[in-house]
Amino acid sequence: MDALPNPKIVKAKRGFRLFFLAFFALILFISFCFLALYIYAKIIGPPPLAVPQSTLYYSSDGKVIGESNSGQERYWVDFNDISQDMIDATVSIEDRNFYKHHGFDYKRLAGAVLADIKAGGRVQGASTITQQYARNLFLTLDKTWERKVKEAFYTIRLEMNYSKNDILQGYLNTINYGHGAYGIQAASEYYFGKSARHLTLAEAAMLAGIPKGPSIYSPMISYKKAKERQEIVLHSMVENGYITKKQAEQASQEKLTLVGKHKNEDIHIAPYFQDVVKQQLKEKLGFDDRTIALGGLRVYTTLNTKQQKIAEKTVRETIPADSSIQLGFVAMNPKNGYVTALVGGRNYKDSPFNRVVQAARQPGSTIKPILYYAALNHGFTPTTMMKSAPTTFRVNNGQTVYKPHNFNSQYANKKITMLEALAVSDNIYAVKTHLFLGENTLVKEAKQFGITTKMEKVPSLALGTSNVHVIDMVHAYSLLDNNGKGNDPVYITKVEDYKGDVLYQANQQQKQILKPNVAFVTSQMMTGMFDKRLNGYATVTGSSIVNQITRPYAGKSGSTNTDSWMIGFSPQLVSGVWVGYDNGKELTLAADKLYAKKIWVKFMEQSLANKPIEEFTPPKGVVGAAIDPTTGKLATEQCPISRLTYFVSGTEPTDTCTTHSPNSKTKDQSKDKHESLFHKLLKWL
């Protein structure tokens, strides 16, 4: 008879089977969880790799002109733009099994746990490069279990969806190297003043040792400790087969030159311009504030650094340092609307208020070219004559009396041409033209020219009494410069993300806004302010700077009691200056009223110094004729002055000047016997 089984043994076997089943179930459960985790990770795809990066602003010639960051310099560089020594040093000291594991180095983890137990505290880290990169992406160092679980999940997702080089690239671009330098490019530039691709073995070994403790191993804090850490990195590279002992010794003995300065630390180029660019990014392109500041954008602008420096230098040299006068200056390329220089005030730190785009001031006589463009569209010509004399205008059915004055109360007391009226800035002629056309005409025309502020329907509008922005006026003149073609002012040509993907590309097509022939005729009348041959009862308004110009220009100055303007252009460049006091204080000194012209002519001449001299090219639909400026008729050999003047085809004069001929008392032989109603009406003005 068989012996009965020992109850204790039976019980033990049963317990073992239960334990085994429970353990097996646990393994299955854990395996299932890991499988589910991997499937879930695969389904939701790769994690976003966006971290705060410095947004950089570039000029038209590719120079960095500004940077937005939160005190952390961050620049993203491709894996191929990092020196191989830097890559090897980082892998060797941080995670020598990086290319062998799948995100977690279990052997290293076990060793770290044993070392910590033996030492009775945390003495050895076990985080892989992938884990550290996951931690960098979270940008938080709190030690909660929730963060650790998320970090582990991020690690899995990174390993599943990105190559090892992609992960290493991300790690090197996000790790903290101290002193606000995040990422290898910022660190390389800060410590050694060079790109990450040009790091030597000695430099790479020193940088690779910093992340373990940036406040301890930074050579700017303790060169001794940094060198000790460098030796450890070099030794690890020898052990892991990246370099030889001889190479390590040579690197250890290499003398390093430290810079200790961020690349863009001293960049203060065109701060007013940069403010406008940021506003454009937000309002026109739709980027939010955080993306603009820390999105790692590469913003390529239209700024010409040479012209910007000329503008700023000219302002400093022209206006005395102790003066409280302010100014707004802007320059544009008339062919494409690119804003090439902008000065919004005397000192950005003292006053960031931008007087080019934010201030609204009275333009004075700079509004007259817009008025005369409208007049040319309504039957006027450059030789249309009206009397310049003290005049009292009664408007609003005679209820309102308006009595404008010319500068210094100078009047021709006879008829003058529109050409001369513009050259000497005759106010009587302008008001007569304005009222003849109807007060609403100039309001509508100003809007067509791109003036965004409200224009008042009053007689004085012809003299520039409604406020405008400097940028609007310069843009308006650019249309005349470009025969009526144009688009809105352009500040940004391209925006890229930190990877180089294009997010925005300027592709504005020029529109024909004005009539090309009328725009050209208007611009040619504007050359008269620099033509002393047009001196009649008064000198031309550009007489004070005419001796400084070396090429053809068209322009117009303007002044009120509180504002002084000068806007003008060549075929290649248009610029404008406003000068005045922010509080509306009157300009009482003659010198104050000359600043705008002086700044304008110096800027234009210096900016175009090495450019070819270009003439204004007439479009189709215009015809040039030699005119006697005093009579507005075709000049003869007897006329002391003959000026080439352009007209819209079919509107050029047919009368020949006889004033200077021996028989000047006789009537013009070529005079039309049948005058239009329009010209008969003008005789009454």
Side-chain angles (χ1 to χ4, degrees), residues 447-672:
K447 186 175 182 180
Q448 184 180 15
F449 270 80
I451 305 301
T452 57
T453 48
K454 184 179 180 181
M455 299 283 103
E456 298 291 338
K457 298 178 184 179
V458 293
S460 62
L461 180 60
L463 308 184
T465 54
S466 286
N467 292 338
V468 296
H469 298 303
V470 176
I471 187 64
D472 286 351
M473 289 301 295
V474 175
H475 171 242
Y477 275 48
S478 75
L479 298 179
L480 295 173
D481 191 2
N482 200 29
N483 291 340
K485 287 184 179 179
N487 43 240
D488 293 336
V490 179
Y491 301 89
I492 302 169
T493 57
K494 184 172 64 172
V495 179
E496 295 177 346
D497 64 15
Y498 69 95
K499 293 181 179 179
D501 295 331
V502 177
L503 304 178
Y504 167 78
Q505 182 81 50
N507 187 28
Q508 300 188 70
Q509 299 295 324
Q510 283 196 342
K511 301 176 183 178
Q512 190 67 54
I513 299 171
L514 309 177
K515 294 179 181 179
N517 53 352
V518 181
F520 181 80
V521 172
T522 305
S523 69
Q524 291 309 291
M525 286 198 297
M526 294 166 66
T527 64
M529 74 168 290
F530 305 112
D531 191 345
K532 289 185 176 180
R533 293 174 299 173
L534 293 177
N535 285 346
Y537 71 92
T539 57
V540 292
T541 53
S543 60
S544 63
I545 58 174
V546 70
N547 292 331
Q548 301 177 53
I549 66 176
T550 61
R551 61 183 64 226
Y553 292 112
K556 186 71 189 78
S557 59
S559 62
T560 68
N561 292 335
T562 57
D563 307 274
S564 178
W565 293 71
M566 177 63 209
I567 313 174
F569 50 84
S570 71
Q572 304 108 307
L573 184 64
V574 54
S575 68
V577 190
W578 164 83
V579 172
Y581 293 95
D582 284 337
N583 59 6
K585 175 182 168 184
E586 286 194 10
L587 296 170
T588 56
L589 299 177
D592 294 349
K593 298 178 181 179
L594 292 177
Y595 291 149
K597 290 179 183 177
K598 289 181 177 180
I599 292 170
W600 178 85
V601 72
K602 288 179 182 178
F603 171 82
M604 294 296 286
E605 284 292 309
Q606 292 178 36
S607 296
L608 297 172
N610 298 319
K611 303 289 184 182
I613 296 177
E614 293 186 15
E615 301 285 343
F616 293 100
T617 304
K620 293 181 180 180
V622 300
V623 61
I627 299 298
D628 173 70
T630 58
T631 64
K633 297 177 182 179
L634 296 172
T636 66
E637 293 181 358
Q638 287 75 35
C639 293
I641 300 175
S642 175
R643 187 185 193 276
L644 177 62
T645 304
Y646 286 91
F647 299 82
V648 174
S649 296
T651 67
E652 65 274 15
T654 56
D655 294 350
T656 301
C657 175
T658 60
T659 302
H660 307 99
S661 65
N663 300 318
S664 59
K665 292 183 179 181
T666 61
K667 293 183 178 181
D668 295 338
Q669 298 301 314
S670 60
K671 186 174 182 179
D672 283 339

Side-chain angles (χ1 to χ4, degrees), residues 270-456:
Y272 291 102
F273 176 85
Q274 290 190 47
D275 279 355
V276 179
V277 169
K278 293 171 185 176
Q279 197 68 17
Q280 289 273 306
L281 287 171
K282 183 176 182 179
E283 295 183 356
K284 182 179 179 181
L285 304 187
F287 291 98
D288 58 63
D289 291 332
R290 178 174 173 79
T291 301
I292 293 171
L294 300 170
L297 303 178
R298 302 294 181 264
V299 183
Y300 297 89
T301 75
T302 59
L303 188 81
N304 182 307
T305 52
K306 177 186 174 183
Q307 291 184 19
Q308 181 67 27
K309 289 178 181 178
I310 291 172
E312 293 175 356
K313 182 172 181 287
T314 301
V315 170
R316 288 195 305 269
E317 293 176 347
T318 304
I319 303 178
D322 59 353
S323 173
S324 58
I325 275 183
Q326 281 293 351
L327 92 157
F329 171 89
V330 66
M332 295 174 62
N333 182 333
K335 305 301 181 185
N336 52 25
Y338 286 9
V339 176
T340 56
L342 189 151
V343 182
R346 298 278 303 284
N347 188 307
Y348 182 81
K349 290 183 179 179
D350 292 343
S351 174
F353 179 70
N354 194 327
R355 293 152 188 89
V356 171
V357 298
Q358 291 178 290
R361 303 297 294 242
Q362 292 183 345
S365 292
T366 58
I367 200 72
K368 289 176 181 176
I370 300 177
L371 170 66
Y372 293 147
Y373 171 85
L376 291 173
N377 278 314
H378 287 79
F380 282 69
T381 76
T383 55
T384 296
M385 303 189 78
M386 289 191 289
K387 189 175 182 179
S388 169
T391 306
T392 299
F393 297 91
R394 295 185 179 276
V395 295
N396 295 330
N397 296 321
Q399 297 180 16
T400 304
V401 174
Y402 178 55
K403 192 173 183 179
H405 300 279
N406 278 348
F407 179 70
N408 287 339
S409 295
Q410 286 185 305
Y411 304 92
N413 291 311
K414 64 177 183 178
K415 290 183 177 181
I416 61 173
T417 64
M418 184 159 67
L419 178 64
E420 182 181 348
L422 185 57
V424 302
S425 202
D426 189 278
N427 289 338
I428 304 302
Y429 193 107
V431 175
K432 285 183 176 181
T433 303
H434 177 48
L435 294 178
F436 182 85
L437 297 176
E439 294 171 344
N440 196 45
T441 300
L442 181 53
V443 173
K444 290 181 178 179
E445 205 64 70
K447 186 175 182 180
Q448 184 180 15
F449 270 80
I451 305 301
T452 57
T453 48
K454 184 179 180 181
M455 299 283 103
E456 298 291 338

